[in-house]
Amino acid sequence: MAVSERRIIQIGNSLGLTLPHETLKALNVKKGDEVQVELGGNQVIIKKVPQMVELPDGIPVDFFTLLEEEMEAHHEALKGLVDR
């Protein structure tokens, strides 16, 4: 994990910090994107909010969860197909 030190700055009436370009790129975060900020003990965890898509009729709400589980379960096989 890359570590960088940042300084808390004044932004209007709030306090904030900037993130390095490399961190934003790794998170695939761009201006206007929404992020989740979670406090875990003395750590702040920042995650990009996933874009919600409208599912066609007949597709269950948990489709992407099930898809992700299957992709994780078959990661090596799928990676092998990509490397072909």
Side-chain angles (χ1 to χ4, degrees):
M1 173 172 54
V3 176
S4 65
E5 293 185 12
R6 310 306 285 184
R7 183 177 309 273
I8 302 296
I9 59 173
Q10 186 82 35
I11 303 174
N13 291 329
S14 301
L15 298 177
L17 63 99
T18 60
L19 298 173
H21 174 75
E22 297 79 24
T23 301
L24 297 171
K25 187 174 179 182
L27 288 172
N28 193 28
V29 174
K30 296 171 186 62
K31 181 179 177 180
D33 288 347
E34 293 186 22
V35 295
Q36 295 174 339
V37 180
E38 179 182 328
L39 183 60
N42 67 344
Q43 296 182 340
V44 175
I45 301 164
I46 300 172
K47 298 177 184 178
K48 182 175 181 178
V49 173
Q51 295 288 329
M52 300 304 289
V53 296
E54 192 166 324
L55 297 173
D57 290 340
I59 304 296
V61 176
D62 62 348
F63 171 77
F64 286 108
T65 302
L66 297 170
L67 179 62
E68 184 175 4
E69 289 172 0
E70 288 300 314
M71 290 178 67
E72 287 177 10
H74 302 288
H75 174 75
E76 290 302 316
L78 293 169
K79 187 175 183 308
L81 291 172
V82 169
D83 293 340
R84 285 183 144 187

